[in-house]
Amino acid sequence: MVPEINAWITIAPDDTVTIRVGQTELGTGTLTVNPMMVAEELQCDWKKVRAEYASANRDVKEKAPEWTLKIPGSGETDPGGAAPVELRGMDGVYRRMIIHSSGNVRESRYYLQQAGAEARERLLLAAATEWGVPVSELVAKDSIITHAKTKRRTTYGAIAAKAARTPLPDPSKIKIKTPDKYTLLGTEQKHFDVPLKVTGEAIYGIDVRLPGMLYAAARACPVWGGDVKSYNFEAIRNMPGVHSVVRLPFNALTKSANFLCGGAAVIADSWWRAKTALDAMPIEWDYGPAAAVTSASLYEDHVAAAKLPGEPKTNEGNVDEAMGRAAKVVEAVYSVPFSPRARMEPGNATVLVTDNRVDIWSGDQDPQGLLRRAAKLTGIAPENVYIHTTFQGGGYGSNGNGPQGEQAVVVANALRGRPVKTLWTREEDWGTGTRYRPMSICFFKAGLDAGGWPIAMEVRHATTWNLGDMGYRGLSAPPYFVPNYRLTLHSPKTHVPIGTRRGTGAAPNAFYMESFIDELAHVTGKDPYFYRRELLARNPAEPKQGIGGFAHRDDFLKALDMVAKMSGWGTPLPEGWARGIAIDDRRRPTRTTSTICAQVHTVEVTRRGQLKLHRVDVAFEQGFALMNPLSVRKQIEGQIAWGYDDTMYQATTLQDGRAVERNFDKFPVSRMNEYPKQINIAFLKTNRWITGAGEEAIPQIPPAILNAVFKITGKRFRSIPLKNHDLSWG
Amino acid sequence: MAFTLLVNGVQYGVDAEPETPLLWVLRDSIGLTGTKYGCGIGQCGACTVLIDGLAVRSCFLQASRAIGKKITTIEGLSTDGSHPVQLAWKEFDVPQCGYCQSGQILAAVALLEKQPKPTDADIDAQMTNACRCGTYHRIRQAIHRAAALRA
Ligand code: FES
Ligand code: FES
């Protein structure tokens, strides 16, 4: 057995350090940056570090050590501390394993650094004990421990077994490094998974193969809330390879992982045979109560909801009085459609259920949740459920948490003793397997004074996004100074499953606010960069008489100035070209944690209405430090394509209660030829920990592009995607 | 055995309906899972393989149509990740989730066969595979690098 120093670290005699990672690698870099956070403190040789997944099963059985429960320092403005984390109740040894909300570094940095430091101290103590010298005289560097006075030297590999048996007298004394002491963190490190991903060796959930494995193709009622009335298995029983059929129950679980539609899965000896037979199996559906819903009918429901009083979220000053004395009133209605996360790998999981044990092979963003739900579905104790985490082909907002795994558990539970791989078709994944960023409509009304500055603003936001602060993040307290401001939320009903999506509520909300502010600048003949600047500068850092107040004002100004300078804001461009600007920090109303990101998009629109994004300049907050700046760069580069696709193409429309766009033909993803040729990314140092980097460059993209489009075409588009609009001009 | 296929220089006997898409024969019958399923309708390119040197979307090709042809999958590009395109991909740390990358790499190999010194316009025209993670910036740089490595 390779000596285990603590739950995260094993060290082999040849000095190979294996670091366990609780968070699934879905392309954001967890498998590399989490070991970096441990290795920074461990002071081991980075070239000899390997990563492997931590076990969710162990997390059920073992409590978190006391020293990982304590947050060192306090708050996001303490370099020795940690941004506020959401670990309440997550007291298993690996704490919170779910990867969500750009939270991997934010939520795990402090205990991963502690884990590295704890192991380092034990290695040092073991060596000191062996040599009979004070531990304070020892130095650890690159997996080597030295004692200068006696010229003694050992390696981590040689002392690891002893360290594994050497507890620290007082682990609560562990201090983690502050960013000024980092040597590994903050440097660009290539990703451990890349070599595996260029040879085809990387195993994703879809690639798992087990002896005797059967394959399942599943189909749920295409209308959410519907169920199977009947199916005729006899009609397909004799097709090649067909094994059996399993009924997929309606609403078998609650909340985020429920099956919102009943269905059936056909089992065969290959997936293609299972799918072919499923396609041939007559199924009669009960479409349920929502079978007549369309995007148009839902839009009307939103409009109707917005006419009701709504739920007040912000009410500063006296909006009605100020609106009454405004020199000019501007109104605008913005909207976004439903859209799924649309990851590349269709939902799947391979499951083996026996009478006393469940094994699940899957790339799942929430291994702990999947484990608990598998236990519930099978009646087998959580201690006997094992998750074998694989790579995951994209996530973008919890796609890859239920119900792919849960559905696969239901199927395999019906075929106990046989491993079964359940795999969705692309259509199944995007049509019934995912959840959606919901449609929303935002009604703005602003009253401007004679100088063109807003003295009142009324925002009515109709959205079904009632998860936490999704509906008002970025809208409840705009960064700009508007002395009389009111936001109300209006919630129509929908049967469409709603979930988080990359960019969260900040994405549509920033599209609305950053477009409308641009409109106000243009209405009053002001440059949109300077207009934003002035409105920020007018906002006090602290609220005055309960009005306004924006603690990050100065950093916002810096980010705006930085991106304006980078992009050559104000310098001439060819005819048909323009720059658009936008800023957002994905700040939550109840928190100050943020990642400020300002962008300028340089866009061309031909007279015939062909859009080309030529260049993107990004000023991105780095806070005290970025852990692996290479991961962050790659994230930003990718988010540019992601936000562009939202702006240009992506929407799920509803017809007969169901999703129309279920594959790449109707739900386009842009290709190489549309990706901007010039990307400039610069990092802005600030004195706090940032929220994260997995989605913080998304919200700015639609408004920045549409602001540029307005400048070129004179057309103000207030809904995305642009494929629905005529961009021609002149 | 219903038919045989020549994949990465090896003859495989395949027990499947001949109209099964090549993708599923490669993945489930032969066990070469580096080739991915993304759409099944020839749109995304995740299933790209080389057939007699040309990039082909294997989800859209009946396996029987590939009988007697030379099929190359990501596993057949090199034994150790040392193909110039793979080396360049590692140098630029291209993949994120990685799911599309087998297809991207094979599309790049086919492009470089045709155009050993591709321009940006050539890359725009030939690299038509989808990457939902948006790794295009690095793919472009890596293709230019791979061209230099091959020269
Ligand atoms: S899976 Fe073949 S092109 Fe998408
Ligand atoms: S790397 Fe994720 S889809 Fe391309």
Side-chain angles (χ1 to χ4, degrees):
Chain A
M1 273 289 273
V2 178
E4 174 177 303
I5 315 298
N6 58 39
W8 287 272
I9 301 162
T10 66
I11 303 179
D14 68 355
D15 286 341
T16 300
V17 173
T18 301
I19 298 177
R20 299 197 178 115
V21 177
Q23 287 74 13
T24 305
E25 177 62 81
L26 33 126
T28 58
T30 55
L31 216 51
T32 307
V33 75
N34 289 18
M36 283 174 77
M37 293 187 278
V38 174
E40 174 67 55
E41 298 284 352
L42 187 56
Q43 291 166 203
C44 58
D45 182 354
W46 178 245
K47 290 191 293 297
K48 291 188 180 156
V49 171
R50 308 281 173 270
E52 68 178 28
Y53 283 126
S55 160
N57 178 270
R58 180 170 174 176
D59 180 77
V60 169
K61 293 174 180 157
E62 194 176 319
K63 285 272 163 275
E66 199 55 39
W67 47 268
T68 66
L69 295 173
K70 166 187 85 107
I71 301 176
S74 59
E76 79 254 29
T77 54
D78 177 357
V85 287
E86 298 151 52
L87 294 169
R88 282 179 309 277
M90 309 302 288
D91 61 351
V93 62
Y94 292 118
R95 309 302 310 272
R96 185 192 281 272
M97 295 171 80
I98 186 174
I99 174 154
H100 72 131
S101 308
S102 298
N104 174 52
V105 168
R106 181 176 78 244
E107 295 191 342
S108 58
R109 179 177 54 81
Y110 76 93
Y111 65 76
L112 290 181
Q113 278 190 245
Q114 281 182 316
E118 198 254 2
R120 179 197 66 225
E121 290 304 310
R122 285 169 58 192
L123 288 156
L124 286 168
L125 185 59
T129 314
E130 190 156 297
W131 297 337
V133 300
V135 70
S136 59
E137 290 180 1
L138 299 189
V139 174
K141 193 168 184 267
D142 292 339
S143 303
I144 295 166
I145 299 174
T146 48
H147 185 241
K149 275 191 199 155
T150 58
K151 295 214 166 53
R152 269 189 286 211
R153 173 186 187 282
T154 188
T155 65
Y156 281 11
I159 202 78
K162 191 172 167 108
R165 299 186 305 268
T166 308
L168 286 185
D170 187 3
S172 71
K173 289 236 167 61
I174 298 166
K175 280 229 176 3
I176 63 167
K177 290 185 190 178
T178 49
D180 52 314
K181 305 270 172 9
Y182 289 169
T183 56
L184 177 64
L185 291 174
T187 63
E188 294 209 341
Q189 294 300 330
K190 288 195 180 159
H191 292 81
F192 285 154
D193 50 331
V194 163
L196 300 173
K197 288 175 176 175
V198 304
T199 58
E201 283 167 89
I203 298 294
Y204 298 78
I206 195 174
D207 302 328
V208 169
R209 293 165 63 83
L210 297 168
M213 183 172 83
L214 291 168
Y215 296 79
R219 180 153 306 152
C221 179
V223 182
W224 303 281
D227 202 352
V228 168
K229 228 186 262 169
S230 66
Y231 50 75
N232 182 2
F233 178 62
E234 290 313 313
I236 59 159
R237 184 187 285 281
N238 295 321
M239 287 179 70
V242 168
H243 179 275
S244 54
V245 63
V246 174
R247 174 92 162 75
L248 300 170
F250 176 69
N251 257 359
L253 289 160
T254 53
K255 282 193 109 177
S256 65
N258 60 356
F259 309 127
L260 293 149
C261 344
V266 170
I267 322 297
D269 63 356
S270 85
W271 186 75
W272 186 254
R273 284 174 165 173
K275 180 197 174 286
T276 306
L278 175 65
D279 286 344
M281 185 169 79
I283 306 179
E284 237 197 292
W285 300 108
D286 166 7
Y287 291 120
V293 173
T294 65
S295 288
S297 74
L298 265 176
Y299 193 95
E300 288 315 312
D301 292 350
H302 282 67
V303 172
K307 295 205 170 109
L308 302 172
E311 178 197 350
K313 274 291 163 197
T314 311
N315 197 1
E316 287 185 354
N318 188 335
V319 170
D320 298 327
E321 181 275 326
M323 202 71 81
R325 62 184 157 83
K328 191 178 181 86
V329 172
V330 183
E331 291 189 76
V333 182
Y334 283 86
S335 67
V336 299
F338 288 98
S339 200
R341 298 85 176 233
R343 67 176 170 143
M344 240 8 222
E345 180 186 9
N348 68 80
T350 302
V351 182
L352 171 61
V353 182
T354 61
D355 286 342
N356 50 22
R357 181 179 161 123
V358 184
D359 284 90
I360 303 173
W361 291 261
S362 177
D364 195 289
Q365 280 175 243
D366 183 11
Q368 291 164 323
L370 177 58
L371 186 152
R372 284 193 303 274
R373 292 189 284 270
K376 204 166 142 194
L377 284 166
T378 56
I380 290 168
E383 291 76 17
N384 296 327
V385 181
Y386 293 81
I387 312 280
H388 311 275
T389 301
T390 63
F391 286 113
Q392 184 180 322
Y396 324 118
S398 312
N399 200 15
N401 306 355
Q404 57 168 6
E406 288 76 2
Q407 197 181 80
V409 168
V410 167
V411 171
N413 196 34
L415 296 160
R416 284 194 177 194
R418 284 296 288 271
V420 189
K421 180 195 287 183
T422 301
L423 167 64
W424 289 335
T425 58
R426 169 53 65 210
E427 291 81 4
E428 195 64 19
D429 189 318
W430 288 358
T432 48
T434 189
R435 287 171 170 264
Y436 298 80
R437 185 257 338 261
M439 166 189 281
S440 89
I441 311 181
C442 197
F443 299 79
F444 281 102
K445 185 174 178 184
L448 308 181
D449 66 14
W453 306 105
I455 52 171
M457 198 183 286
E458 186 192 8
V459 185
R460 287 173 298 139
H461 189 200
T463 177
T464 51
W465 220 347
N466 46 14
L467 293 170
D469 54 29
M470 296 289 169
Y472 53 98
R473 189 186 284 207
L475 287 176
S476 60
Y480 306 114
F481 186 61
V482 184
N484 303 283
Y485 185 87
R486 183 163 68 218
L487 167 70
T488 49
L489 285 186
H490 308 259
S491 303
K493 290 221 173 346
T494 176
H495 71 302
V496 184
I498 301 308
T500 56
R501 182 174 185 263
R502 206 177 193 191
T504 67
N509 300 350
F511 163 49
Y512 304 150
M513 184 57 80
E514 283 298 287
S515 298
F516 189 59
I517 284 291
D518 222 77
E519 282 202 54
L520 298 184
H522 285 292
V523 160
T524 52
K526 293 187 166 67
D527 176 275
Y529 157 49
F530 290 105
Y531 193 73
R532 280 178 176 77
R533 235 195 155 280
E534 176 62 22
L535 284 178
L536 274 166
R538 288 180 180 205
N539 210 1
E542 296 290 331
K544 281 209 178 92
Q545 286 116 37
I547 305 272
F550 182 44
H552 297 172
R553 177 193 65 187
D554 295 345
D555 291 330
F556 255 59
L557 286 169
K558 278 186 207 153
L560 272 182
D561 292 346
M562 190 170 179
V563 81
K565 192 155 177 237
M566 285 165 73
S567 66
W569 186 266
T571 60
L573 287 170
E575 197 205 33
W577 291 48
R579 298 183 185 92
I581 192 166
I583 186 166
D584 183 63
D585 62 352
R586 230 172 62 76
R587 188 179 70 261
R588 309 180 67 162
T590 49
R591 305 250 174 85
T592 53
T593 345
S594 70
T595 307
I596 300 167
C597 176
Q599 295 178 23
V600 171
H601 288 235
T602 305
V603 175
E604 178 189 5
V605 182
T606 66
R607 286 178 186 270
R608 310 185 105 175
Q610 200 70 35
L611 185 147
K612 176 82 190 145
L613 177 59
H614 285 286
R615 165 176 174 167
V616 182
D617 291 273
V618 182
F620 194 89
E621 182 176 12
Q622 78 165 62
F624 288 123
L626 300 173
M627 302 294 108
N628 185 356
L630 179 59
S631 306
V632 177
R633 271 183 196 286
K634 288 172 65 174
Q635 281 299 299
I636 296 169
E637 290 162 8
Q639 287 167 44
I640 288 168
W642 230 83
Y644 173 85
D645 288 352
D646 263 0
T647 311
M648 297 299 293
Y649 301 120
Q650 292 177 350
T652 296
T653 48
L654 301 185
Q655 197 61 51
D656 302 328
R658 68 195 77 178
V660 173
E661 295 81 3
R662 300 169 73 114
N663 207 328
F664 283 86
D665 52 346
K666 296 210 176 84
F667 189 89
V669 170
S670 63
R671 311 299 157 103
M672 178 65 86
N673 62 340
E674 291 186 63
Y675 195 84
K677 293 280 186 302
Q678 204 181 339
I679 302 281
N680 303 308
I681 298 167
F683 295 122
L684 173 69
K685 192 139 173 37
T686 59
N687 286 318
R688 70 179 82 86
W689 292 107
I690 61 164
T691 313
E695 53 195 333
E696 281 62 21
I698 292 212
Q700 302 81 359
I701 296 169
I705 292 178
L706 267 63
N707 291 340
V709 167
F710 169 77
K711 229 167 156 181
I712 299 163
T713 65
K715 295 178 176 175
R716 176 62 70 178
F717 297 110
R718 298 190 181 89
S719 68
I720 49 173
L722 281 179
K723 73 170 180 194
N724 298 335
H725 298 294
D726 172 15
L727 273 61
S728 64
W729 60 280
Chain B
M1 293 298 165
F3 56 95
T4 60
L5 288 179
L6 178 62
V7 187
N8 303 330
V10 180
Q11 290 282 356
Y12 291 93
V14 176
D15 180 19
E17 287 66 61
E19 67 273 14
T20 307
L22 177 62
L23 168 66
W24 297 105
V25 169
L26 291 170
R27 288 183 54 83
D28 289 350
S29 308
I30 298 179
L32 293 170
T33 55
T35 309
K36 300 296 193 245
Y37 163 59
C39 68
I41 57 168
Q43 288 275 330
C44 74
C47 63
T48 303
V49 298
L50 302 182
I51 297 186
D52 292 338
L54 295 177
V56 172
R57 293 181 174 175
S58 65
C59 70
F60 225 47
L61 184 79
Q62 296 189 352
S64 56
R65 305 281 302 273
I67 294 170
K69 308 224 162 109
K70 254 183 77 185
I71 304 165
T72 307
T73 69
I74 188 74
E75 291 90 347
L77 216 47
S78 70
T79 51
D80 53 358
S82 61
H83 186 282
V85 173
Q86 291 172 317
L87 291 177
W89 244 246
K90 286 187 268 191
E91 186 178 329
F92 284 90
D93 208 56
V94 173
Q96 290 187 28
C97 86
Y99 195 75
C100 72
Q101 297 293 338
S102 302
Q104 303 281 5
I105 287 171
L106 289 169
V109 170
L111 163 65
L112 290 168
E113 274 315 317
K114 254 199 298 189
Q115 284 146 318
K117 276 256 161 264
T119 61
D120 277 346
D122 296 332
I123 294 172
D124 281 349
Q126 299 296 319
M127 293 299 290
T128 57
N129 288 6
C131 174
R132 183 64 171 143
C133 296
T135 61
Y136 302 121
H137 187 60
R138 282 170 198 272
I139 291 178
R140 181 186 302 283
Q141 292 170 278
I143 290 175
H144 287 307
R145 179 77 184 128
L149 286 174
R150 277 166 44 108

